[in-house]
Amino acid sequence: MNKAEVFPAEERELQRIFNETRLPQIQLKARVLKELDTTKRVFPARANGFRSRRLLTSISMIVFVIALIGLLSIFPASAEQLRKIPVIGKVFEGNIFDFAGDSGIVIGEESGLTSDVNEEAKDQGVTIKLQNVLYDGARLSIGYEVVSEQAANLMFLENVKVSVNGIFRPDARLSAKPHLIDDKHAAGIITIDLDEPQKEDRFELELLIGGVSGMKAGNPSEVSGEWSFKVNVENRVADSEYILLADGYSASWHGDRLRLTGYLATPATTKLDFFYTGNTDWLGFQLKDDRGMLIEMLDISLTVDKKGMAKGTVRFAPLAPGTTRAEITPFNWLVGNKDAEKVTTKLTHDYPIVLSQGEAGEIVVQNVEFMQDKTLIYYEVKGKSPYMQYASLWLETPDGQLLISDNGKRTRVSDTAYEYILEYPPLDASQPYFLSTMPQTDLELQDELAVSFAIHNK
């Protein structure tokens, strides 16, 4: 089988792409899309088909990460900008899962499904700390911190070797969602996937980390060393049942086909396995519950054989309690290579304030509340991909300076609408501000391939 791994394989190349710019995160996505066109020219399909496909699908997965998690979401301000910020605010409160986790991880943390690790190792002036772990049978995620005494902007774990119960696992694939807190401190979440998921209620996980890397002044930097950890992993929802689906859970249209083979629904993750024949370029999936609400997509991995059939797994945030039925629909991102201009409007008291995000939809700002200890922005996302759209909203000064980096806490406040509160440090209400966003990548839903299935609740 000719494998095209979606999990990041060319991590160094991706790191370079993401660190070329310090613009707001949606512009980072635009840079990736622009880089895609260059990548296609550099790695022609016939000459370097395998590597090209690995890199392009890896970038596709990372694009989701940017919008959903805020990868590289710290944008250092200049001294002039800092003078305009009354209080920088505390961007990291010590809990990595709460700070950098997706909604499923946060729910798992709040529900007591995570296990404390609290181990650290130091080498070459760099300390790596493992804080906590979440394993629910559908994914294995570990929160980590990197603290450096000298080297700056270290955030990616390199050359990681994984062993389970003392047996080395060369099949382990790792994806990371790091956040740079300051030039000497980073926090993130590493997710480990194995070809054969562990079925034990408990097992011992060993990690041997051979390096930590990052970017400084546009140049890659890496510190080599040895950081070793042993972690006892416990599946606290081991009674969650994997449901096999018969051949009838499929849909076909003009030669394309989607077939679901099974799913696992836990309090922290919804995992679906599938076979797919069709256009796999920039492939994604939307999952709706029986209320018609979209569930946040977390990641996707797939392999493509020589006949063009894809076998893969897609993971989403947990379904709402009481969900009895769900529907999954494949789609393709309509990726272009032209950078889009940002959309900016003056902040006034004339609410609602609507900011267009292009064909994908819009953001509706309902209110901005200036308080003594914080600033709150109330807004709703409307469009085709709300979990991509919601992270693209920020404040600027009248001269176009990015006022504060996107480390604000975005909290969803409704389960029947995509409404959020964005929390920032306190700002001077007497000063003028502008709201800004960016047009989002549009998508094409393959509605003819939608597959509905019942959810078995215990």
Side-chain angles (χ1 to χ4, degrees):
M1 179 175 290
N2 187 12
K3 293 189 175 183
E5 300 288 356
V6 171
F7 293 99
E10 305 289 344
E11 188 174 79
R12 292 181 184 278
E13 226 162 325
L14 297 178
Q15 290 176 32
R16 176 185 62 78
I17 294 171
F18 293 130
N19 285 277
E20 281 182 345
T21 177
R22 290 292 185 177
L23 297 175
Q25 63 183 19
I26 194 60
Q27 293 184 357
L28 282 173
K29 188 186 76 173
R31 291 288 297 177
V32 173
L33 302 188
K34 183 177 181 179
E35 188 76 13
L36 171 64
D37 182 63
T38 303
T39 305
K40 286 181 176 178
R41 294 194 298 269
V42 173
F43 303 116
R46 294 184 64 182
N48 296 285
F50 176 62
R51 186 184 181 204
S52 174
R53 188 160 55 251
R54 285 173 62 195
L55 177 60
L56 299 186
T57 51
S58 295
I59 292 175
S60 175
M61 198 276 291
I62 291 293
V63 168
F64 291 113
V65 172
I66 293 174
L68 303 181
I69 306 300
L71 180 63
L72 304 179
S73 62
I74 181 75
F75 307 99
S78 65
E80 179 183 359
Q81 288 175 299
L82 291 175
R83 285 193 293 269
K84 297 177 180 179
I85 307 175
V87 178
I88 298 298
K90 190 176 183 181
V91 298
F92 178 63
E93 298 178 354
N95 187 307
I96 297 172
F97 276 3
D98 182 61
F99 170 70
D102 57 64
S103 60
I105 285 180
V106 173
I107 290 173
E109 173 84 7
E110 294 173 347
S111 303
L113 302 180
T114 60
S115 302
D116 293 333
V117 178
N118 296 324
E119 290 191 10
E120 66 178 60
K122 184 175 181 180
D123 194 14
Q124 307 299 317
V126 176
T127 300
I128 299 178
K129 303 177 182 179
L130 302 187
Q131 187 188 89
N132 38 29
V133 58
L134 169 67
Y135 175 64
D136 63 352
R139 59 172 161 173
L140 171 61
S141 295
I142 303 172
Y144 71 90
E145 290 182 74
V146 176
V147 181
S148 173
E149 296 176 0
Q150 297 178 350
N153 300 342
L154 298 178
M155 58 194 302
F156 293 94
L157 306 184
E158 298 281 357
N159 304 320
V160 182
K161 297 181 179 179
V162 178
S163 297
V164 175
N165 291 331
I167 300 175
F168 173 60
R169 297 297 300 265
D171 58 310
R173 300 176 298 273
L174 294 88
S175 57
K177 300 169 183 177
H179 292 242
L180 190 62
I181 297 171
D182 56 48
D183 59 352
K184 298 298 175 66
H185 188 193
I189 296 173
I190 184 172
T191 296
I192 301 171
D193 286 272
L194 304 170
D195 286 341
E196 297 180 2
Q198 292 296 312
K199 300 185 185 304
E200 297 92 338
D201 294 347
R202 301 171 184 267
F203 59 90
E204 183 180 70
L205 177 73
E206 296 180 57
L207 298 179
L208 181 61
I209 301 169
V212 187
S213 67
M215 282 279 181
K216 183 178 181 181
N219 298 312
S221 61
E222 181 175 348
V223 175
S224 298
E226 186 173 297
W227 297 264
S228 180
F229 300 91
K230 285 187 178 181
V231 179
N232 290 316
V233 177
E234 178 182 0
N235 185 354
R236 299 196 174 184
V237 287
D239 60 342
S240 295
E241 182 181 2
Y242 183 86
I243 305 297
L244 290 171
L245 297 176
D247 291 346
Y249 291 91
S250 64
S252 301
W253 176 257
H254 289 178
D256 295 344
R257 188 186 186 205
L258 171 66
R259 179 166 71 90
L260 297 184
T261 59
Y263 73 89
L264 175 64
T266 81
T269 316
T270 305
K271 170 185 172 182
L272 290 94
D273 296 322
F274 64 88
F275 285 100
Y276 173 82
T277 302
N279 181 13
T280 58
D281 291 340
W282 299 94
L283 178 66
F285 290 88
Q286 283 193 347
L287 182 67
K288 286 185 178 181
D289 62 19
D290 43 19
R291 304 169 302 172
M293 297 302 297
L294 289 169
I295 310 301
E296 179 183 0
M297 179 178 164
L298 303 180
D299 56 35
I300 177 176
S301 66
L302 56 87
T303 60
V304 183
D305 65 18
K306 294 180 179 180
K307 295 181 179 180
M309 175 179 286
K311 177 183 179 181
T313 296
V314 58
R315 287 182 290 209
F316 297 85
L319 296 165
T323 299
T324 60
R325 196 161 194 86
E327 182 180 80
I328 188 169
T329 306
F331 68 83
N332 296 95
W333 294 105
L334 301 178
V335 174
N337 57 16
K338 182 179 180 181
D339 287 338
E341 295 293 330
K342 68 180 179 181
V343 177
T344 300
T345 187
K346 186 175 182 180
L347 176 60
T348 67
H349 296 292
D350 187 17
Y351 299 110
I353 300 174
V354 180
L355 291 90
S356 172
Q357 296 182 316
E359 296 296 326
E362 62 188 19
I363 282 183
V364 181
V365 177
Q366 299 159 336
N367 190 27
V368 178
E369 188 175 2
F370 295 90
M371 305 173 68
Q372 186 174 2
D373 59 339
K374 56 189 172 183
T375 302
L376 300 179
I377 303 177
Y378 300 81
Y379 67 101
E380 181 179 5
V381 176
K382 297 181 179 181
K384 300 178 183 178
S385 53
Y387 295 110
M388 286 284 285
Q389 298 171 241
Y390 86 106
S392 180
L393 176 67
W394 67 92
L395 285 171
E396 293 185 357
T397 60
D399 58 358
Q401 294 281 348
L402 177 66
L403 184 63
I404 40 184
S405 61
D406 193 15
N407 279 310
K409 183 177 181 181
R410 298 176 190 264
T411 304
R412 189 173 174 184
V413 294
S414 172
D415 61 357
T416 57
Y418 307 104
E419 295 180 343
Y420 298 85
I421 297 178
L422 172 56
E423 179 180 333
Y424 276 143
L427 300 173
D428 185 353
S430 66
Q431 298 297 313
Y433 301 104
F434 283 78
L435 292 160
S436 295
T437 187
M438 290 286 290
Q440 302 291 286
T441 303
D442 196 12
L443 59 85
E444 181 179 18
L445 280 166
Q446 301 176 35
D447 291 317
E448 297 83 3
L449 297 182
V451 176
S452 177
F453 56 100
I455 301 297
H456 297 268
N457 294 306
K458 291 188 175 182

